[in-house]
Amino acid sequence: MEKQVMSGALFIAAVLKENGVRQIFSCPGAHVDLLLEACRVQGLPLCEAVSEQGALHAADGYARTTGELGVAIVGSGAGAAGTITGLATAMLDSVPLLLLVGQVANDCLAGDCLASVDISNMSMPITKHNFLVKNGAYLTEVIPFALKLAQSGRPGPILVDLPQDVQSSIVLPESFGKKASPETASLGRQTAAALDEAVSIIQNCKRPLLLAGGGATAKGAMLSVRRLAETKGIPVATTLMGIGVMAPENEYCLGFSGMHGSLLANRAVCEADVLIVVGSRFSDRVTGDRFRYGEGKHVIHLDVDPAEVDKNVFAHVAVVGGIEQSLLHLQECLVPGKWKEWQTELALWRSEYQEKYDGERLNAPWIMQRIGTLTKGQECTFVTDVGQNQMWAAQHLQIESPRQWVTSGGLGTMGFGLPAAMGAQAARRDRRVVHIAGDGGFRMTCSELYSLQRQKLPVLSLVIDNSCLGMVRQWQQLFYRERYSASLAPLAPDWECLTAAYGVRAQVVETPEEFEAAWQEAWQAKEPRVIVARIPTSDLVTPMLAPNSPLDTYVEVE
């Protein structure tokens, strides 16, 4: 960075550029014009969203797709408050985000001024850390540290609250040149001892299983999981957030485990005598009954965050440190076990649980399987919303790598899909982004079609229209004796007219043949497109565990 006197806003933009930020997502508002202008001066591309929540989700989708820092800029007051859902989504899924928020000047902070809100305290529980900068001199410390903190250890969102007079303050040249470099977690003596204990347990077991969570999706960790599985003969199941760590055609890949996980993966978790868990927080949707999850087996937990150890499931061995380094240690010390009998048993189960698809009528599992076939070998990213559409996609798509799969796991944020797809497409303009949503979630943020059309981002949206909030309705059917409350949506919008208002073409399909034709046309188009697939309201996601039940206890569905 050239050492010259500049404003606080220009300094922030210069630091972002120096640290490799290639894209910023924004929603203009009060007290942020100086910062947006500074970004323009520095040549930082701005991708504008319709709402502040959309800007956060877009930065989130960008970060998950690239593995880089996602950056968003929003205005003060209501604009800042509109980021709460996006921050919580990123926090629970450990996504590296930097949110820069405009704020009233320092002398107005306590004066009930227009467009002023205490966003720092509001966001404290749902950010990794946040800063209210009251003196421009502190920017030289805060901004590089915020960049570093968001990406170090367990990643997460950082919020920086920037009063207007701080943005216009003068930053002196001797303060420049601090570049943020995320720290790499290393293995200490205690961690090495825990790994040695883990090696001993694994080496003497009969049925080992790797469970890859969101913490295993970093490139180095993913490659280490794959190498450990293939060279030592250890099968791998994943959580929802770990999908893609193992390619689906890999002989050691069992699919994802949990409430709507595969029968094969869930049975393997139940029958394993050692569970090697890589970067998972043991969500209730992963474990079912947490008190019975570890019964009859040793649980070895590898995680970068010590706060996750023994929080939800007791670990017999806890390995806290860099996940990639921990896996490399296991790789070096383990010798291929005598687990042929276990592998043979899993192969028999795989054959027993082979999925059969019904192509006679339009249904979501068939659609997802068909999309997987049609996109195989092509550069493609899948971004889902939340609900039945998300589970059907997780079960039946063919995800080759973690960066190909973007979804809201921890918070379960409906409306996440479309703005996140915008961020994913802005990150990778060389590959097509397929956005999958239900009709309920799509209605929540469909206004971002305007942003897609304005930015010329060719996201292909697939809307599963079952005229209801599908997962809510499913629970009400199964657990509330079909007493449906606010989950049915019989008044469907005119999809073609709705999307046409934003200049986007939609096609409504009701048969497999109509879907095939619509997909081919939409895929060839180099512009935003929407396909609405109408399926029966009564279709359910199966298999399904009852809440807080063991992983082999399924709800009976007629």
Side-chain angles (χ1 to χ4, degrees):
M1 185 191 301
E2 184 180 349
K3 293 187 176 182
Q4 59 181 6
V5 174
M6 60 176 70
S7 69
L10 199 55
F11 170 78
I12 294 169
V15 172
L16 294 179
K17 184 176 181 179
E18 185 178 58
N19 282 274
V21 172
R22 299 183 292 116
Q23 181 74 65
I24 295 176
F25 300 88
S26 68
C27 186
H31 308 113
V32 79
D33 290 338
L34 285 172
L35 188 54
L36 293 175
E37 171 64 10
C39 290
R40 186 194 65 79
V41 170
Q42 288 291 337
L44 291 170
L46 292 170
C47 182
E48 292 180 9
V50 169
S51 69
E52 290 81 11
Q53 180 177 344
L56 258 290
H57 290 330
D60 185 317
Y62 178 94
R64 297 189 202 222
T65 302
T66 61
E68 300 172 7
L69 180 72
V71 181
I73 298 174
V74 304
S76 65
T83 65
I84 292 295
T85 299
L87 288 170
T89 300
M91 182 68 177
L92 285 170
D93 288 346
S94 303
V95 179
L97 287 186
L98 176 64
L99 173 60
L100 302 173
V101 180
Q103 183 58 277
V104 299
N106 272 289
D107 58 0
C108 296
L109 281 174
D112 293 332
C113 293
L114 178 67
S116 174
V117 72
D118 188 357
I119 189 62
S120 296
N121 279 317
M122 287 172 63
S123 64
M124 191 173 293
I126 52 171
T127 54
K128 187 176 180 182
H129 198 67
N130 60 37
F131 303 88
L132 170 59
V133 185
K134 292 188 175 183
N135 188 322
Y138 295 151
L139 287 173
T140 59
E141 299 292 334
V142 168
I143 300 303
F145 183 62
L147 288 166
K148 180 178 181 178
L149 188 60
Q151 302 171 84
S152 298
R154 180 178 180 172
I158 305 295
L159 181 147
V160 183
D161 200 6
L162 296 164
Q164 193 168 27
D165 53 330
V166 170
Q167 296 178 50
S168 61
S169 64
I170 299 301
V171 179
L172 301 177
E174 58 265 24
S175 302
F176 300 163
K178 294 189 177 181
K179 194 167 183 178
S181 299
E183 293 177 351
T184 302
S186 57
L187 301 179
R189 291 183 180 179
Q190 187 175 358
T191 301
L195 280 168
D196 290 339
E197 184 180 357
V199 168
S200 177
I201 292 172
I202 298 168
Q203 207 65 73
N204 291 290
C205 75
K206 295 181 179 179
R207 299 183 301 279
L209 179 68
L210 278 158
L211 180 69
T217 60
K219 183 177 180 181
M222 178 194 73
L223 294 175
S224 295
V225 169
R226 291 184 176 184
R227 191 179 302 113
L228 185 63
E230 293 167 353
T231 60
K232 309 305 179 184
I234 303 176
V236 180
T238 75
T239 68
L240 179 70
M241 302 309 297
I243 288 176
V245 168
M246 293 292 286
E249 66 270 13
N250 191 299
E251 63 177 312
Y252 293 104
C253 179
L254 306 181
F256 92 97
S257 174
M259 176 173 281
H260 295 291
S262 73
L263 296 171
L264 174 61
N266 282 353
R267 186 169 181 180
V269 171
C270 290
E271 297 294 334
D273 58 359
V274 169
L275 194 60
I276 310 158
V277 183
V278 183
S280 174
R281 59 190 178 86
F282 292 109
S283 158
D284 62 311
R285 295 302 174 95
V286 170
T287 65
D289 185 343
R290 287 170 172 163
F291 297 103
R292 296 184 60 183
Y293 189 72
E295 280 186 350
K297 58 175 64 66
H298 283 88
V299 176
I300 299 170
H301 191 182
L302 279 59
D303 209 293
V304 73
D305 186 356
E308 292 300 329
V309 173
D310 294 336
K311 185 176 81 174
N312 292 321
V313 171
F314 172 76
H316 298 82
V317 179
V319 181
V320 179
I323 288 178
E324 182 181 354
Q325 292 89 338
S326 297
L327 289 168
L328 287 173
H329 186 96
L330 293 180
Q331 174 73 30
E332 293 171 358
C333 297
L334 283 173
V335 297
K338 298 178 180 179
W339 301 314
K340 292 294 184 184
E341 186 177 335
W342 174 230
Q343 293 163 357
T344 300
E345 198 169 10
L346 288 170
L348 291 173
W349 296 347
R350 188 189 299 274
S351 178
E352 179 183 346
Y353 299 136
Q354 189 71 35
E355 188 75 40
K356 296 179 176 63
Y357 293 96
D358 176 13
E360 296 298 315
R361 67 176 183 88
L362 197 62
N363 62 88
W366 178 86
I367 291 173
M368 301 305 166
Q369 182 269 341
R370 192 75 188 113
I371 290 174
T373 300
L374 292 169
T375 58
K376 188 171 180 60
Q378 303 190 53
E379 292 291 316
C380 183
T381 300
F382 297 102
V383 182
T384 83
D385 212 88
V386 167
Q388 286 181 317
N389 66 90
Q390 178 188 36
M391 293 299 108
W392 280 319
Q395 291 172 336
H396 305 291
L397 287 175
Q398 300 294 303
I399 308 297
E400 301 288 335
S401 69
R403 301 293 175 207
Q404 191 187 5
W405 171 251
V406 176
T407 197
S408 169
L411 195 63
T413 306
M414 287 186 68
F416 169 82
L418 189 59
M422 175 172 67
Q425 189 71 82
R428 296 293 305 272
R429 293 175 183 262
D430 60 327
R431 64 193 300 170
R432 198 71 184 273
V433 171
V434 176
H435 160 231
I436 298 169
D439 52 315
F442 187 73
R443 287 197 303 268
M444 290 182 177
T445 53
C446 63
S447 58
E448 294 299 348
L449 288 173
Y450 170 83
S451 304
L452 294 181
Q453 188 70 312
R454 182 181 179 187
Q455 301 289 334
K456 305 301 181 187
L457 297 172
V459 172
L460 196 169
S461 292
L462 170 66
V463 180
I464 303 297
D465 180 7
N466 53 7
S467 300
C468 64
L469 299 177
M471 192 59 80
V472 178
R473 184 207 163 278
Q474 176 165 333
W475 277 56
Q476 289 174 351
Q477 174 184 332
L478 298 176
F479 305 123
Y480 293 88
R481 300 182 182 179
E482 302 184 24
R483 296 193 296 272
Y484 301 118
S485 176
S487 60
L488 302 180
L491 182 60
D494 185 325
W495 295 108
E496 290 96 336
C497 288
L498 174 65
T499 63
Y502 297 108
V504 177
R505 186 185 176 196
Q507 291 177 270
V508 179
V509 300
E510 297 183 350
T511 68
E513 293 75 20
E514 289 176 350
F515 172 79
E516 293 272 6
W519 178 270
Q520 293 297 337
E521 181 180 336
W523 185 261
Q524 295 301 322
K526 305 301 182 183
E527 61 185 16
R529 284 294 184 93
V530 176
I531 299 174
V532 179
R534 286 198 168 125
I535 68 170
T537 302
S538 57
D539 282 5
L540 303 181
V541 178
T542 57
M544 179 180 184
L545 300 170
N548 300 314
S549 64
L551 288 188
D552 56 358
T553 306
Y554 294 97
V555 176
E556 292 187 11
V557 178
E558 294 182 2

